[in-house]
């Protein structure tokens, strides 16, 4: 199953959030973020962290 990051970028622009801030808050590397920007597959756990962070349920520990 392929995941697209297009909806993630739309949410970020709607909330006026920058990608580097998202990296810091989700505790993911900038390398992983750059892979997501060009739609290279990343681990499903990364997607889980990002979705929980956006919904406000992520406290930095999984």
């Amino acid at each position: 199953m392929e995941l697209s990051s297009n909806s993630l970028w739309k949410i970020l622009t709607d909330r006026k959030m920058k990608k580097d801030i998202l990296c810091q808050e989700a505790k993911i590397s900038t390398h992983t973020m750059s892979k997501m920007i060009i739609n290279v597959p990343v681990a499903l756990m990364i997607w889980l962290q990002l979705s929980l962070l956006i919904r406000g349920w992520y406290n930095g520990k999984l």
Side-chain angles (χ1 to χ4, degrees):
M1 184 170 120
E2 188 173 318
L3 296 173
S4 175
S5 56
N6 293 337
S7 58
L8 174 65
W9 309 141
K10 182 179 178 334
I11 291 170
L12 287 180
T13 55
D14 290 346
R15 295 186 182 190
K16 298 179 178 134
M17 195 173 189
K18 294 185 179 181
K19 293 174 185 168
D20 59 337
I21 302 297
L22 182 68
C23 285
Q24 292 172 356
E25 290 185 14
K27 297 183 181 165
I28 60 173
S29 70
T30 54
H31 178 69
T32 302
M33 182 58 77
S34 63
K35 286 171 70 175
M36 291 176 68
I37 290 170
I38 59 173
N39 286 327
V40 174
V42 295
L44 191 57
M45 189 60 110
I46 300 297
W47 287 104
L48 177 64
Q49 283 176 283
L50 291 173
S51 66
L52 292 176
L53 176 72
I54 288 171
R55 287 180 173 84
W57 301 335
Y58 183 63
N59 60 2
K61 298 178 186 171
L62 279 181

